[in-house]
Amino acid sequence: MDVLINVFVALHIIGIAALLGGFLTQMKAMGAGAARFSPAMLHGALTMLVTGVALVGLNQADDQSVNNLKIGIKLGILVVILALVYVKRDEERVDKGIFAAVGGLTMANIFIATLWT
């Protein structure tokens, strides 16, 4: 079970890398007002959602404790990110505020995951 959990953790990290990487590569374009959500950002957020739900289920099946409050907050943030990216995915230019919000929420999710023990 530990190997399976670690595989899903790795996939979860790949998802966050796609989402954050898509944001970071568009930072210069965001300053010029030409940023847009890349398909990698949408796929990264979806990967995070699927692997995150799987990780909760696998950890509970393995009788490990799960902090439901932490998971609920992270899920709420991810749903907001996913909604923003999904709704604006086809637009040629995304408002700076919305694009920055996705980046900030992504970083908040990372900090919650790593600092909340």
Side-chain angles (χ1 to χ4, degrees):
M1 186 68 97
D2 288 339
V3 172
L4 187 59
I5 290 172
N6 287 333
V7 166
F8 276 95
V9 168
L11 291 172
H12 196 68
I13 291 170
I14 290 169
I16 195 86
L19 181 58
L20 186 61
F23 170 76
L24 293 175
T25 58
Q26 296 274 330
M27 292 269 304
K28 190 173 187 179
M30 182 179 72
R36 65 183 313 241
F37 292 125
S38 67
M41 294 175 75
L42 177 62
H43 296 298
L46 286 170
T47 300
M48 288 176 55
L49 178 65
V50 170
T51 58
V53 169
L55 281 168
V56 170
L58 288 171
N59 280 307
Q60 287 181 340
D62 198 28
D63 289 330
Q64 296 180 23
S65 65
V66 176
N67 186 340
N68 290 321
L69 178 61
K70 175 182 173 181
I71 298 302
I73 291 171
K74 286 179 53 58
L75 178 62
I77 291 172
L78 183 57
V79 166
V80 171
I81 291 169
L82 196 52
L84 289 172
V85 173
Y86 186 77
V87 168
K88 300 287 186 179
R89 74 187 183 281
D90 291 332
E91 292 189 12
E92 200 61 37
R93 294 180 180 191
V94 178
D95 182 54
K96 287 181 187 180
I98 292 174
F99 198 79
V102 167
L105 289 170
T106 301
M107 287 188 257
N109 232 355
I110 293 169
F111 285 120
I112 290 169
T114 56
L115 298 177
W116 188 340
T117 55

